[in-house]
């Protein structure tokens, strides 16, 4: 049963200034979220400081918010604005998955270390950590973050649900993440552990004296459906625990701060926080500092994603894509707009892919230069298959650009693409250089595949569908360069089909720069007016308000830098379909997720994977980012707005603190809608407006599935799912797709009664040669009878090879050569010291794959890592008195070895450190065992 460590069920998004959540359950100030938040921010701060030190620069955050931390970490590296949206989103993903353990695994003792399930609980942690490391190695950061959230919940519960702190321990139990070490001194199932609490509630000192004296490890039994427990055993406690009413009554949970357990609750919080820090440090060691920050979302938010048709007629388009990539790389180098990642997906017919990801701009230049146009003789191509790879392989909220001159052959993937767009909140824009009228080849059913498909997908994502000739394509691709920025925000987006005369208003605030208006459509006119009443029409290429560029069906209006803040208007007039989009660059932004309540011993809020439920209020968790942290913005209102209509429905705001809000919209708009937020920038005292891009709608159908483990190469993976409906029952069509094209066995339909639910099962077969760390994005869709309604679920699964090497590398210091370091730090650069050490992964180990140093500025050299014994030498001046060697083997076991010297204080001090949660190096200098600690 899952309890928030320490006392509240919060599905909360906490960053600075303590813990908060939607609704506290049971009181207390510490939660899974607050513990995770404190540890995550502390570790990110440590890594940012270490990188700054190695680069010879200062690391001086101006505050403790996400915005200020990212600015201090990335800001000094380049010019331009730095957005913390990616970091905040990454933190939210961790926190949400942590909280959802209380919903998805409510009756699983292992997930909460209830009922003395120590071996199973540890297995969840160690398997999870192996999956996290493998995913990071493959740069599958989202899958790694989701697993981290779940693992941390289980790890933290150990200290709240067991008697570890009751036994007097003040440091974490290292063996929980070390499968090579035994779980020692466990109370067996026949050993009584608690005395009876006569009042039936919680009593102090309920654990039996002999259990405490003998240092026996136990945890409380938890029964949600049954009161049964072994004779004499402790209970978890609380109203939801049926076992707590059976002698011995009471409970030993430290989830909440109560009068009987203040000291133990505080101790559990402290040790759980330290354990979280040490687990994060182990992951950091395996990932390396730069990849660890990317894993945590601390990276420039600009990502370049190209999906390119490589069939025979695309030569000119490929050359233009190449030119754009080169221009982005060359023009944005050294700025915050320099992309943090480049992604390329070619598609043809019948082939598509592979997905190519790199952080190296030279690699991207080479890959796109290697593209050639050939093949694809029947016109329709595998465009949506290529787009599916991009949507699942790119970070969330990416801008994806598709180049094609042909309609989609794989039109059956359209609904899958819409689901992925909604799930990832990515924006997809199409550059269409064909006539759009071509159909499938004769003899193949036409599923009405035209360029309208691309327009529908662009609209659903908030992108543009730009029709242009091949000759004029270079004039249209400025859109890509505009959006390759680290702080892109949307001010307004609307669409009309059919078109009509209408005036749209939007607010421009002082923080906005590089403001651009995009209009797509034919046979249209428009007039732009600023707050002072100055106007400019579509045929004024260089007007008083900015420049107007026209190419194909695209109008691009770039506002002058001396913009007026306040309320602007644009009057549109056309009887043809058109779209309108206003963008800018600003660090004032917001992120959001639709959530739903769940009940149980620790009720809370969980992320909605598909469309929100129709017929009931919609709830959103909204996080607002300001220029100087959350205190620098004030939110006025949040509303749901129809993109293709005029309906605006405001929501009730509950301020959760730290820039986070729970928004409840009682009456959800009909049709597709987006999120609109208005507020005030405290820094400039100007009002601002921001809008989401991804269209959403509600459904009476719900489909749910829970991933409870990783997949193993060569073995089938069974996934149960449930379909629920508030509409008419009948036969619901089931379809599923995965981005790896793994073989699946999916039931074609499932019978659901009116207002009821039904459970089905699908199987995925993972090829035996699938690399460990591969993530698989699975999309499941349920369609109501007559296609009257539908919904979807998007799941991330990880493929992890079974780990057999659990022993970390070992270290032995061979010699230290040092002169007396000057007592005066100003003279430290005149003296030097050297450390020599031997490292090995043992005879049966998988072998050391990397050896790096941190906590020290100096030079590390080593012999070939393929050798059984690796000789390492570290040289540094007396300005750097400490070094930590970090060795990682092929199984991603991490070993740390620290050494420090003291200025003019006799012989050097050897400090081989063994944080209890990290897989550390074993050496002759450290021989204390866990059994010694338990005595």
């Amino acid at each position: 049963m899952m309890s928030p460590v320490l006392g509240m069920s919060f599905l909360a998004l906490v960053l600075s200034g303590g813990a908060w959540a939607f609704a506290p359950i049971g009181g207390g100030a510490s939660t899974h979220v607050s513990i995770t938040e404190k540890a995550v921010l502390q570790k990110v701060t440590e890594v940012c400081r270490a990188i700054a030190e190695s680069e010879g620069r200062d690391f001086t955050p101006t505050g403790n918010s996400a915005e200020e931390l990212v600015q201090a970490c990335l800001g000094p590296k380049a010019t331009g604005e730095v957005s913390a949206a990616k970091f905040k989103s990454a933190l939210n993903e961790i926190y949400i998955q942590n909280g959802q353990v209380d919903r998805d695994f409510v009756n699983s003792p292992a997930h909460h270390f209830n009922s003395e399930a120590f071996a199973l609980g540890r297995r969840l942690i160690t398997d999870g950590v192996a999956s996290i490391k493998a995913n990071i190695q493959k740069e599958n950061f989202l899958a790694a973050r989701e697993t981290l959230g779940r693992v941390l919940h289980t790890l933290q519960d150990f200290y709240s649900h067991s008697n570890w702190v009751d036994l007097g321990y003040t440091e974490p139990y290292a063996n929980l993440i070390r499968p090579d070490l035994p779980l020692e001194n466990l109370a067996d199932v026949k050993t009584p552990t608690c005395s009876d609490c006569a009042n039936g509630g919680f009593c102090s000192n309920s654990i039996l004296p002999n259990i405490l004296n003998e240092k026996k490890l136990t945890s409380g039994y938890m029964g949600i459906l049954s009161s049964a427990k072994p004779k004499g055993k402790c209970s978890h406690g609380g109203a939801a625990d049926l076992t707590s009413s059976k002698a011995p009554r009471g409970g030993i949970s430290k989830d909440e701060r109560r009068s009987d357990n203040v000291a133990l609750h505080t101790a559990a919080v402290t040790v759980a926080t330290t354990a979280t820090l040490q687990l994060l440090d182990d992951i950091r060691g395996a990932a390396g500092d730069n990849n660890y920050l990317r894993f945590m979302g601390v990276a420039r938010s600009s990502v370049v994603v190209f999906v390119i048709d490589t069939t025979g007629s695309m030569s000119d388009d490929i050359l233009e894509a190449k030119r754009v990539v080169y221009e982005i790389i060359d023009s944005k180098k050294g700025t915050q707009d320099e992309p943090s990642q480049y992604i390329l997906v070619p598609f043809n017919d019948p082939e598509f892919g592979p997905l190519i990801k790199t952080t190296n701009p030279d690699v991207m230049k080479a890959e796109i230069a290697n593209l050639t146009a050939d093949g694809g003789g029947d016109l329709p191509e595998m465009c949506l298959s290529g787009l599916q790879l991009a949507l699942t392989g790119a970070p969330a909220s990416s801008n994806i650009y598709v180049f094609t001159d042909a309609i989609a052959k794989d039109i059956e993937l359209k609904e899958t693409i819409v689901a992925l767009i909604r799930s990832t909140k990515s924006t997809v824009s199409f550059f269409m250089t064909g006539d759009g009228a071509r159909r499938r080849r004769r003899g193949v059913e036409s599923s009405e595949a035209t360029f309208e498909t691309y327009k529908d997908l662009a609209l659903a994502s908030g992108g543009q569908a730009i029709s242009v000739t091949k000759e004029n394509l270079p004039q249209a691709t400025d859109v890509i360069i505009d959006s390759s920025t680290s702080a892109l925000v949307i001010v307004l987006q609307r669409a009309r089909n059919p078109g009509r005369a209408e005036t749209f208003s939007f607010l421009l605030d002082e923080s906005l720069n590089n403001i651009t208006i995009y209009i797509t459509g034919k046979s249209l006119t428009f007039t732009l007016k600023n707050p002072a009443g100055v106007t400019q029409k579509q045929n004024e290429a260089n007007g008083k308000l900015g420049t107007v560029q026209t190419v194909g069906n695209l109008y691009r209006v770039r506002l002058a830098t001396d913009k007026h803040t306040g309320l602007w208007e644009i009057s549109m007039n056309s009887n043809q379909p058109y779209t309108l989009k206003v963008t800018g660059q600003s660090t004032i932004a917001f992120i959001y997720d639709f959530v739903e309540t769940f009940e149980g011993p620790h009720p809370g809020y969980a992320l909605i994977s598909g469309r929100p439920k129709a017929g009931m209020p919609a709830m959103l968790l909204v996080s607002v980012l300001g220029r100087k942290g959350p205190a620098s913005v004030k939110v006025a209102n949040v509303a749901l707005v129809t993109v293709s209509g005029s309906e605006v429905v405001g929501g009730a705001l509950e301020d959760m603190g730290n820039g986070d809000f729970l928004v409840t919209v009682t009456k959800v708009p009909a049709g597709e809608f987006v999120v609109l937020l208005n507020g005030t920038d405290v820094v400039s005292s100007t009002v601002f407006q921001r809008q989401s891009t991804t269209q959403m709608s509600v459904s009476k159908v719900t489909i749910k599935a829970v991933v409870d483990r990783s997949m193993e190469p060569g073995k089938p993976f069974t996934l149960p799912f449930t379909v629920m409906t508030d509409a008419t029952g009948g036969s619901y069509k089931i379809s599923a797709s995965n981005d790896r094209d793994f073989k699946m066995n999916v039931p074609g339909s499932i019978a659901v009664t009116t207002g009821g639910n039904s459970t089905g099962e699908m199987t995925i077969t993972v090829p035996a040669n699938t690399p460990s760390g591969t993530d698989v994005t699975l999309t499941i869709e349920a369609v109501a009878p007559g296609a009257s309604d539908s919904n979807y679920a998007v799941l991330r699964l990880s493929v992890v090879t079974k780990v057999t090497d659990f022993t970390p590398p070992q270290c032995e210091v061979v010699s230290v050569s040092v002169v007396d370091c000057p007592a005066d730090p100003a003279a430290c650069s005149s003296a030097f010291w050297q450390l020599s050490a031997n490292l090995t992964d043992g005879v049966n180990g998988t072998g050391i794959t990397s050896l790096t140093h941190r906590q020290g500025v100096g030079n590390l050299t080593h012999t070939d890592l393929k050798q059984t014994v690796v000789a390492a030498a570290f040289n540094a001046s007396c300005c750097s008195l400490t070094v930590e060697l970090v060795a990682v083997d092929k199984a991603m076991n991490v070993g740390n070895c620290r050494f420090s010297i003291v200025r003019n204080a006799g012989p050097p001090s050897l400090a081989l450190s063994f944080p209890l949660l990290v897989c550390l190096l074993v050496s002759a200098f450290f021989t204390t065992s866990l059994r010694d600690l338990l005595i």
Side-chain angles (χ1 to χ4, degrees), residues 87-206:
F87 181 38
K88 183 98 174 185
S89 295
L91 296 176
N92 290 357
E93 288 159 3
I94 296 170
Y95 301 154
I96 285 173
Q97 290 299 321
N98 190 316
Q100 285 184 184
V101 173
D102 279 329
R103 179 197 68 175
D104 297 337
F105 306 102
V106 65
N107 204 30
S108 166
H111 282 84
H112 311 281
F113 280 106
N114 290 330
S115 308
E116 298 181 321
F118 294 115
L120 293 176
R122 180 174 74 168
R123 179 67 180 270
L124 288 174
I125 293 172
T126 56
D127 285 356
V129 170
S131 179
I132 292 166
K133 292 177 179 180
N135 280 137
I136 293 175
Q137 193 174 38
K138 290 290 185 180
E139 299 187 2
N140 297 321
F141 298 125
L142 174 57
R145 287 191 293 266
E146 291 182 346
T147 304
L148 176 64
R150 296 190 291 268
V151 166
L152 289 180
H153 188 112
T154 301
L155 175 69
Q156 293 160 356
D157 268 359
F158 171 81
Y159 300 98
S160 174
H161 296 179
S162 76
N163 67 332
W164 181 259
V165 296
D166 304 73
L167 297 176
Y169 298 127
T170 58
E171 292 294 329
Y173 188 17
N175 298 32
L176 289 182
I177 59 104
R178 289 286 301 273
D180 59 317
L181 299 177
L183 294 171
E184 299 176 317
N185 224 25
L186 305 181
D188 63 41
V189 69
K190 295 181 179 180
T191 301
T193 52
C194 268
S195 59
D196 187 51
C197 183
N199 63 19
F202 290 94
C203 296
S204 57
N205 304 317
S206 60

Side-chain angles (χ1 to χ4, degrees), residues 583-601:
T583 72
Q585 190 173 3
S586 172
T587 54
I588 298 176
F590 78 96
I591 57 177
Y592 71 97
D593 286 296
F594 286 94
V595 296
E596 62 185 358
T597 60
F598 64 86
E599 302 300 325

Side-chain angles (χ1 to χ4, degrees), residues 482-496:
D482 292 342
S483 59
S484 296
T485 171
S486 65
L488 183 70
V489 295
I490 309 302
V491 178
L492 176 75
Q493 184 150 347
R494 295 291 185 270
R496 294 294 181 261

